[in-house]
């Protein structure tokens, strides 16, 4: 067989292989994933928190009573000793957590970006396995969180979705709530501030003016104020109050689960 015939045979074989690959019935990755997935009928309650410093939690050695509910969860469950965020920016880190991808892969590193709509996400897998995956908060509907797989639902001001569906909670469910108390401003109010903050922590009127920024502003630009060491105790106490407010929120969510008899399978 001459060289030209060999080359022609090789080209024809390559064409046939390509045609077979193009037109044969191939299961999609989605079908393969669902075929192999095994549904374990547990509900999932996923709570994240903004600007959260673990050094202010009792389960990590903090001496003040900021987190009794979280501490109990840590004793009864699994406590992680190390956590690495993808970014200091909230949305980028949340997308990494939901996708299990680094920022450079999912691409949500600024506003006006979203993941590739063609990706089959973990939330969509849960949805297609029968989970209810409602989207609660308004910001969860912005472009950064598009195409993650959450379904539109009524926005709620607190985590009261379970109570609204009392007696007929759709199961299984994946419920995500992103808590904001630990984001500026630190204005927990009573009874939380009274548990940690005292007015005599403020050492001067100049310090009071700086601390007032922490209590009122949701964003403080670095160049707009220079904090002093004398401000630290009061600011830390106000932050502790927000941690305790978050902890009570977690407790209320758990109480809602218990009320509906869902605490054993969530």
């Amino acid at each position: 067989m001459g060289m030209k015939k060999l080359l022609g045979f090789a080209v024809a074989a390559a064409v046939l292989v390509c045609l077979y690959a193009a037109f044969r019935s191939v299961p999609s990755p989605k079908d393969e994933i669902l075929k192999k997935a095994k549904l374990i009928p547990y509900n999932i309650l996923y709570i994240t928190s903004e600007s959260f410093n673990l050094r202010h939690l009792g389960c990590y050695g903090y001496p003040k009573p900021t987190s009794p509910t979280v501490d109990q969860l840590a004793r009864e469950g699994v406590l992680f000793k190390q956590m690495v965020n993808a970014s200091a920016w909230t949305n980028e880190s949340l997308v990494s957590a939901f996708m299990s991808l680094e920022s450079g892969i999912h691409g949500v590193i600024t506003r006006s970006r979203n993941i590739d709509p063609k990706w089959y996400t973990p939330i969509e897998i849960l949805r297609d396995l029968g989970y209810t995956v409602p989207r609660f908060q308004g910001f969860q509907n912005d472009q950064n969180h598009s195409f993650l797989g959450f379904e539109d639902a009524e926005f709620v001001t607190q985590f009261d979705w379970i109570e609204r569906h009392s007696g007929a909670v759709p199961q299984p469910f994946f419920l995500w709530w992103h808590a904001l108390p630990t984001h500026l401003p630190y204005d927990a109010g009573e009874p939380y501030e009274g548990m940690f903050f005292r007015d005599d922590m403020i050492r001067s009127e100049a310090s009071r003016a700086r601390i007032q920024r922490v209590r009122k502003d949701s964003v403080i630009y670095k160049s707009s104020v220079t904090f002093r060491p004398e401000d630290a105790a009061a600011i830390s106490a106000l932050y502790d109050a927000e941690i305790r407010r978050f902890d009570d929120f977690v407790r209320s969510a758990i109480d809602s689960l218990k009320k509906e008899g869902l605490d054993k399978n969530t």
Side-chain angles (χ1 to χ4, degrees), residues 77-145:
V78 177
L79 177 66
F80 290 89
K81 295 296 182 68
Q82 184 175 13
M83 163 63 179
V84 180
N85 272 340
S87 168
W89 182 44
T90 303
N91 289 2
E92 183 177 346
S93 291
L94 287 172
V95 173
S96 286
F98 283 123
M99 294 298 298
S100 192
L101 294 173
E102 294 183 355
S103 307
I105 297 176
H106 66 62
V108 183
I109 56 175
T110 64
R111 299 286 185 186
S112 302
R113 293 195 179 194
N114 52 260
I115 65 169
D116 190 330
K118 297 189 296 294
W119 288 351
Y120 191 39
T121 71
I123 305 301
E124 289 175 325
I125 293 172
L126 289 175
R127 181 198 64 199
D128 291 345
L129 287 172
Y131 275 75
T132 297
V133 288
R135 179 191 290 112
F136 290 143
Q137 296 159 287
F139 82 90
Q140 295 175 9
N141 202 34
D142 67 16
Q143 184 171 349
N144 288 151
H145 297 90

Side-chain angles (χ1 to χ4, degrees), residues 61-260:
Y62 196 57
K64 298 179 182 179
T66 54
S67 53
T69 304
V70 173
D71 296 345
Q72 182 177 351
L73 287 174
R75 288 191 298 269
E76 297 176 353
V78 177
L79 177 66
F80 290 89
K81 295 296 182 68
Q82 184 175 13
M83 163 63 179
V84 180
N85 272 340
S87 168
W89 182 44
T90 303
N91 289 2
E92 183 177 346
S93 291
L94 287 172
V95 173
S96 286
F98 283 123
M99 294 298 298
S100 192
L101 294 173
E102 294 183 355
S103 307
I105 297 176
H106 66 62
V108 183
I109 56 175
T110 64
R111 299 286 185 186
S112 302
R113 293 195 179 194
N114 52 260
I115 65 169
D116 190 330
K118 297 189 296 294
W119 288 351
Y120 191 39
T121 71
I123 305 301
E124 289 175 325
I125 293 172
L126 289 175
R127 181 198 64 199
D128 291 345
L129 287 172
Y131 275 75
T132 297
V133 288
R135 179 191 290 112
F136 290 143
Q137 296 159 287
F139 82 90
Q140 295 175 9
N141 202 34
D142 67 16
Q143 184 171 349
N144 288 151
H145 297 90
S146 298
F147 307 110
L148 288 175
F150 290 100
E151 299 172 332
D152 289 334
E154 55 184 335
F155 296 152
V156 292
T157 56
Q158 268 290 6
F159 196 81
D160 59 358
W161 182 85
I162 293 173
E163 295 180 3
R164 293 189 182 191
H165 292 82
S166 179
V169 177
Q171 296 186 70
F173 57 71
F174 180 99
L175 306 182
W176 169 44
W177 185 273
H178 186 67
L180 299 174
T182 46
H183 191 289
L184 288 171
Y186 300 159
D187 58 349
E190 297 300 337
Y192 304 107
E193 288 190 10
M195 300 171 67
F196 305 97
F197 175 79
R198 302 187 317 274
D199 195 66
D200 62 9
M201 291 176 171
I202 301 177
R203 302 301 185 184
S204 66
E205 289 306 310
S207 178
R208 186 181 300 278
R210 293 190 294 270
I211 292 169
Q212 190 67 9
R213 293 286 304 276
V214 172
R215 304 184 81 162
K216 298 296 183 183
D217 295 356
S218 58
V219 176
I220 299 177
Y221 294 103
K222 186 176 180 180
S223 59
S224 67
V225 60
T226 301
F227 291 102
R228 305 294 183 186
E230 65 175 341
D231 308 331
I235 293 174
S236 180
L238 293 171
Y239 184 78
D240 285 343
E242 295 289 9
I243 292 280
R244 185 56 184 258
R245 183 158 70 117
F246 165 80
D247 191 83
D248 276 1
F249 163 75
V250 175
R251 179 175 54 80
S252 68
I254 294 173
D255 287 346
S256 294
L257 292 173
K258 290 180 177 179
K259 182 179 178 181
E260 295 296 324

